[in-house]
Amino acid sequence: MAIKSVLKMGDARLWQVSEPVSHFDHADLHDLVQDLRDTMQALNGAGLAAPQIGIPLRVVIFGVQQNSRYPDAHTVPETILINPVITPVNDHTEAGWEGCLSVPSLRGMVARHLHIRYQGFDPTGALIDRTVSGFHARVVQHECDHLDGILYPMRIQDMTQFGFLDELFPERAGEE
Ligand code: NI
């Protein structure tokens, strides 16, 4: 389909609560999913939520492939998750750095549940039900926050742990 422009923090549409999808396996839904996939891949993102391209529906895509430049990077299977429900498995949290295509060039330290169960549907309406940990759990929590109008800077507890990527990690200059 198409690479869409990603809304940036300050655009009021990013603060909206998105609506559930009611019709699965529908041409409009498949087109939206392809736009999300094309846009995420073009920008080399780990995930993207429909409201970030101006569509207020509860649809997210995420996935991280093995990258030869970062052999230690975590991999997350590419997943389209619709109408998600997240349930923490326990009270354990972990702080970690996050970025967002709607907040370019910045990174912030955010505490997330370390272990979660997530449930939802794929574009055909098939049930997804997974229990995951660590980076996978972080990506899902970050993307699903977008569906409730929450951007990661709103979750930063220590604002000294929020800044420009090239200042925080000079060795990673050139990334977005
Ligand atoms: Ni984001």
Side-chain angles (χ1 to χ4, degrees), residues 41-118:
Q41 289 177 349
L43 299 175
N44 202 25
L48 191 64
Q52 290 182 276
I53 59 169
I55 306 296
L57 289 172
R58 301 185 82 80
V59 179
V60 302
I61 183 172
F62 51 84
V64 178
Q65 305 304 312
Q66 195 82 43
N67 186 323
S68 59
R69 288 167 60 204
Y70 305 105
D72 297 332
H74 317 265
T75 61
V76 178
E78 187 187 282
T79 304
I80 314 295
L81 184 63
I82 300 172
N83 299 350
V85 175
I86 294 175
T87 309
V89 170
N90 56 36
D91 292 336
H92 297 164
T93 61
E94 184 176 68
W97 291 101
E98 294 190 10
C100 181
L101 295 173
S102 293
V103 193
S105 305
L106 293 158
R107 293 292 184 277
M109 182 71 81
V110 181
R112 298 284 187 186
H113 295 290
L114 187 53
H115 308 286
I116 62 166
R117 177 184 185 186
Y118 66 89

